[in-house]
Amino acid sequence: VISTDTYEEGIHFIKSSRPIFFVKKIFRASISDIICKGSKPKVYFLSLSINKINHKWLNSFKDELSKESKKFGLYLGGGDTIRSKKLSVTITVIGEALKKPILRKTSHINDDLYITGNIGDSYIGLNVLLKKLNLGKFNNYFKKSFIEPVIQQKFSEHLYKFASASMDLSDGLILDLSRLCKASNCGATLSFIDLPFSKNLRNISKKKKINLKNVFSRGDDYQILFTSNPKNRNLIKSISKKTNTKISRVGKIIPQKIIKMDDGDKMNNFSTNKTGYIHSF
C-alpha cells in the first residue's frame, strides 16, 4: 500500500522556522492515507527542497521526524535533498494491508456511516494561529489540534473486521464524503446532531464564539470516515471501547446520488455545493 504527499510552505503549513510547528502535522497527514485503509505504515521516503543550509534547523527537523517515526513504528528508507527557493517536503509512505486494503468504492446501500474522533478543532486551531480568533484559555488546545492531529492507528488495525469502505477526512466531511459516494456510486444522509464535536468546540459555540455549522466541514481533521453493515454495530462499539477511540454513527448510505443532512426541522442538500478545504494561507 503506497501513498505520497507533497507539502509546501505557505500552502500546507504556516511556520517553517521551527520544525516543531509543522513536522508532526505533515508526517501524520502522510501516514493517515495508509492507516485509514486498515493498513500498517512500515517505511517512508523523504524528499526535502530547502532554500538554505542551517544545521540547527536540520537537526531539529531530524529530531522531530525521529520522534514521529518511533511513535508510529516507521523507519526512514531514503530520499533526496535539493536546494530550492521555497521549503517543500514530499513524503512517500509504504505500508502493508493487515488483510486487504479497504477502498472507497465498496460501500453498500443502507450501510451505516461513521467518523472516528472529533471534527472541526483543527480548523479553529488554524484560525487561532493566524490570529483570526482569540479564544483565551482554549487557544492552546485548538492550536495543538492543528499542529498535532490525532491519528487513530489502534482502531484502524480492526477496520478490516467490519468496514465496507473507508478514507481519511483531510479536505472536509462533505467533500471527502462526496468522493466516497462517487466511487461507490451512491449517496448519503447525515444527521447534524450526531456529528462529533469536542467538548471545547461545543463550549465556544455556546459562548457564540463560532457557529458549528460553519466549521464542521473545513478539513485537516485526519479522522477516519468509514461505512459498515448495521449488523456490525455491537462489534464497532466493542472495539471502540477496547481501543479507547471515540466513534460516532452519523448517517447512512442511500441509493440516490445526493448528500443531504438532517438539521432539526430542515434538510440541507450538499450535492451541488462546492464545499471543502482549500489549502491557502
Side-chain angles (χ1 to χ4, degrees):
V1 183
I2 302 173
S3 175
T4 189
D5 291 281
T6 297
Y7 307 92
E8 187 170 315
E9 182 182 11
I11 297 178
H12 301 97
F13 55 91
I14 306 170
K15 298 178 179 179
S16 66
S17 58
R18 296 182 61 190
I20 192 172
F21 286 122
F22 72 91
V23 170
K24 290 182 176 68
K25 176 179 169 57
I26 65 173
F27 189 89
R28 296 179 191 188
S30 297
I31 66 174
S32 177
D33 278 331
I34 301 292
I35 286 171
C36 76
K37 298 301 178 185
S39 301
K40 187 175 180 60
K42 295 284 190 178
V43 58
Y44 67 101
F45 294 82
L46 176 78
S47 291
L48 180 64
S49 302
I50 191 169
N51 58 0
K52 60 182 178 180
I53 302 300
N54 180 317
H55 291 286
K56 183 179 179 180
W57 186 94
L58 285 170
N59 283 329
S60 177
F61 184 82
K62 182 193 72 171
D63 289 344
E64 290 299 316
L65 274 178
S66 297
K67 291 175 186 175
E68 289 296 289
S69 301
K70 185 176 180 180
K71 180 179 179 68
F72 293 101
L74 285 80
Y75 67 92
L76 178 61
D80 194 16
T81 304
I82 64 168
R83 189 186 296 272
S84 66
K85 293 182 179 179
K86 203 166 189 179
L87 177 63
S88 176
V89 186
T90 296
I91 300 176
T92 299
V93 184
I94 299 176
E96 180 180 37
L98 297 175
K99 188 174 182 182
K100 63 178 181 179
I102 303 161
L103 308 179
R104 299 181 184 185
K105 65 181 182 179
T106 42
S107 286
H108 304 115
I109 306 304
N110 294 322
D111 272 358
D112 290 328
L113 185 64
Y114 291 88
I115 298 174
T116 64
N118 296 311
I119 58 176
D121 287 347
S122 180
Y123 176 69
I124 297 299
L126 171 60
N127 280 274
V128 171
L129 286 164
L130 293 174
K131 301 190 183 306
K132 292 181 179 180
L133 278 175
N134 184 350
L135 302 172
K137 65 180 182 179
F138 297 106
N139 280 346
N140 287 337
Y141 168 81
F142 288 109
K143 285 193 290 186
K144 186 175 181 180
S145 296
F146 179 79
I147 295 169
E148 302 179 29
V150 175
I151 304 297
Q152 307 292 359
Q153 187 174 34
K154 288 184 179 179
F155 182 81
S156 76
E157 294 173 1
H158 300 273
L159 274 176
Y160 73 90
K161 299 174 182 177
F162 49 78
S164 53
S166 69
M167 64 183 296
D168 70 346
L169 289 175
S170 57
D171 294 325
L173 173 58
I174 299 300
L175 182 56
D176 287 327
L177 177 56
S178 69
R179 291 166 175 162
L180 185 146
C181 288
K182 183 178 180 179
S184 291
N185 196 31
C186 64
T189 58
L190 293 165
S191 170
F192 184 79
I193 196 172
D194 293 323
L195 295 183
F197 299 115
S198 67
K199 290 181 179 179
N200 285 340
L201 191 56
R202 291 188 185 277
N203 195 313
I204 64 171
S205 173
K206 289 177 182 176
K207 294 179 179 180
K208 309 297 183 183
K209 297 287 187 180
I210 58 102
N211 185 336
L212 292 175
K213 294 174 186 176
N214 294 334
V215 304
F216 80 93
S217 189
R218 292 293 187 168
D220 271 341
D221 297 306
Y222 301 106
Q223 294 301 317
I224 303 173
L225 174 73
F226 68 94
T227 59
S228 181
N229 191 298
K231 70 180 182 181
N232 294 321
R233 289 178 183 177
N234 287 336
L235 174 61
I236 292 169
K237 285 181 181 178
S238 173
I239 294 173
S240 168
K241 186 176 181 180
K242 179 181 178 181
T243 60
N244 194 29
T245 306
K246 179 179 178 180
I247 306 295
S248 302
R249 180 159 52 92
V250 299
K252 71 175 184 177
I253 298 299
I254 59 174
Q256 298 88 357
K257 296 176 185 178
I258 59 174
I259 295 175
K260 54 186 181 179
M261 184 168 68
D262 181 359
D263 183 15
D265 58 349
K266 65 179 180 178
M267 186 70 75
N268 294 313
N269 188 340
F270 292 100
S271 301
T272 58
N273 290 16
K274 291 183 178 179
T275 180
Y277 185 63
I278 299 174
H279 293 278
S280 179
F281 301 134

